[in-house]
């Protein structure tokens, strides 16, 4: 009997570890909100039909949320004092359509399943759904996150990758979130969608170094295109596509662009120019299946970062406000 008891205890411990970080699992809401994924997908599709920006905005919102305080929808909080996570300098460029997508999906979910599903889980589902809408792969999203109770602008600086980072700096910031160099290169593929403001890369065009005004790693024709779109002292609201070839399709063309000297940021270009990461870039550029598989794995790992589960956090009624 004692042996049996001990065996059961070991089995339970093993099961807890099997569930992974924070005990997320697929079909978490099977008994409490069985239509959840259908509701979110429907709202995301409607929002997408209104504006394409829904896709890159929602995907970027998920990434920015998870890298600060973990995947807990802390980025969704609106503070009357302007001191929440979304108010930090690095988050001011997050497009409103991403926030709107999650808010609308949460409202639709609340009608059918009040007080059950976290904003953090809705954001994770919406991030998957926008990738699919852009022609990318689908995957099962692990669920069970709870919404965070902290959202401070002061916690953002130093926790998001910078467009001027080199490979070591990129690897360091991703490793803090249990993500490998391979994961980082795969997640960088999200730059196949969306846009950037000119000031995020203008140094590569007008003030790169004392020996070269223009970054020599840029394809000269691409550099000319960028200069036409982003002349010096351009209106700071002007934005251009990060993928000059297929900006509205989730594909592996981003990596082909890197091979051709058409990476927009230094942090893109370095993935190809650094010999430590170049083989992975070449592989993803030639093999879309390898990229898609790596992206799915990396997104699932990203979705486990710093999650709150069980009795931690709360289930917000309104994604933009703490319950209390």
């Amino acid at each position: 009997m004692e042996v049996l008891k001990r065996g059961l205890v070991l089995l339970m411990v093993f099961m807890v570890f099997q569930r992974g970080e924070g005990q997320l699992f697929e079909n978490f809401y099977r008994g409490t909100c069985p239509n959840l994924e259908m509701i979110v997908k429907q709202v995301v599709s409607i929002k997408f039909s209104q504006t394409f920006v829904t896709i890159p905005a929602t995907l970027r919102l998920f990434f920015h949320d998870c890298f600060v305080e973990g995947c807990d929808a802390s980025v969704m909080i609106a503070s009357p004092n302007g001191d929440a996570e979304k108010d930090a300098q690095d988050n001011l460029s997050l497009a409103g359509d991403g926030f709107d997508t999650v808010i609308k999906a949460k409202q639709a979910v609340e009608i059918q399943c009040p007080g059950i599903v976290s904003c953090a889980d809705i954001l994770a589902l919406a991030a998957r759904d926008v990738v699919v809408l852009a022609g990318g792969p689908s995957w099962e999203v692990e669920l069970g996150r709870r919404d965070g109770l902290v959202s401070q602008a002061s916690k953002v600086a130093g926790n998001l990758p910078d467009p001027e980072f080199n490979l070591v700096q990129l690897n360091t910031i991703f490793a803090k979130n249990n993500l490998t160099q391979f994961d980082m290169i795969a997640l960088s593929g999200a730059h196949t969608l969306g846009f950037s403001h000119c000031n995020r890369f203008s140094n590569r065009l007008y003030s790169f170094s004392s020996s070269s005004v223009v970054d020599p790693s840029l394809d000269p024709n691409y550099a000319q295109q960028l200069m036409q779109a982003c002349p010096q002292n351009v209106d700071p609201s002007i934005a251009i596509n990060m993928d000059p070839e297929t900006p509205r399709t989730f594909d592996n063309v981003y990596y082909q662009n890197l091979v051709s000297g058409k990476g927009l940021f230094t942090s893109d270009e370095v993935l190809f120019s650094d010999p430590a990461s170049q083989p992975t870039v070449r592989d993803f550029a030639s093999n879309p299946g390898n990229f898609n598989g790596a992206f799915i794995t990396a997104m699932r790992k990203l979705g486990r970062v710093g999650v709150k589960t069980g009795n931690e956090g709360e289930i917000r009624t309104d994604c933009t406000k703490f319950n209390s």
Side-chain angles (χ1 to χ4, degrees), residues 17-152:
F17 280 113
Q18 279 290 92
R19 278 185 143 169
E21 293 159 80
Q23 294 97 57
L24 301 181
F25 50 100
E26 296 159 22
N27 300 315
F28 182 86
Y29 298 102
R30 182 186 283 156
T32 53
C33 192
N35 296 326
L36 169 63
E37 298 204 24
M38 193 181 71
I39 300 166
V40 173
K41 188 180 287 185
Q42 195 169 21
V43 172
V44 172
S45 297
I46 292 167
K47 179 74 184 165
F48 167 60
S49 71
Q50 295 161 352
T51 172
F52 176 81
V53 178
T54 302
I55 288 180
T58 305
L59 190 54
R60 189 161 176 246
L61 188 63
F62 179 62
F63 184 87
H64 278 235
D65 183 45
C66 293
F67 262 50
V68 182
E69 295 288 333
C71 309
D72 65 352
S74 50
V75 76
M76 296 294 301
I77 293 293
S79 163
N81 309 318
D83 58 359
E85 212 172 284
K86 68 184 289 193
D87 301 308
Q89 189 63 40
D90 285 345
N91 283 336
L92 293 179
S93 62
L94 289 170
D97 290 301
F99 294 97
D100 193 48
T101 300
V102 178
I103 290 164
K104 284 193 163 76
K106 172 65 170 174
Q107 289 166 346
V109 169
E110 283 296 299
I111 292 166
Q112 286 201 30
C113 317
I116 300 288
V117 183
S118 68
C119 300
D121 277 345
I122 288 171
L123 175 52
L125 286 168
R128 184 269 314 272
D129 291 344
V130 295
V131 169
V132 175
L133 282 170
S138 187
W139 63 93
E140 291 297 324
V141 177
E142 295 174 320
L143 300 166
R145 300 167 192 79
R146 287 170 67 86
D147 297 321
L149 300 172
V150 174
S151 179
Q152 293 171 5

Side-chain angles (χ1 to χ4, degrees), residues 265-280:
F265 302 136
T266 299
S267 59
D268 293 319
E269 180 274 324
V270 75
L271 301 181
F272 181 71
S273 63
D274 194 307
S277 48
Q278 189 181 105
T280 305

Side-chain angles (χ1 to χ4, degrees), residues 185 251-260 272 278-292:
I185 298 169
D251 55 24
N252 67 327
V253 172
Y254 164 80
Y255 301 100
Q256 296 169 12
N257 292 339
L258 298 188
V259 176
S260 306
F272 181 71
Q278 189 181 105
T280 305
V281 171
R282 286 193 182 277
D283 176 38
F284 290 170
S286 310
N287 299 292
N290 290 358
F291 163 54
N292 284 344

Side-chain angles (χ1 to χ4, degrees), residues 190-201:
H191 287 178
T192 185
L193 300 165
F195 47 85
S196 167
H197 294 97
C198 297
N199 67 340
R200 302 293 278 176
F201 56 86

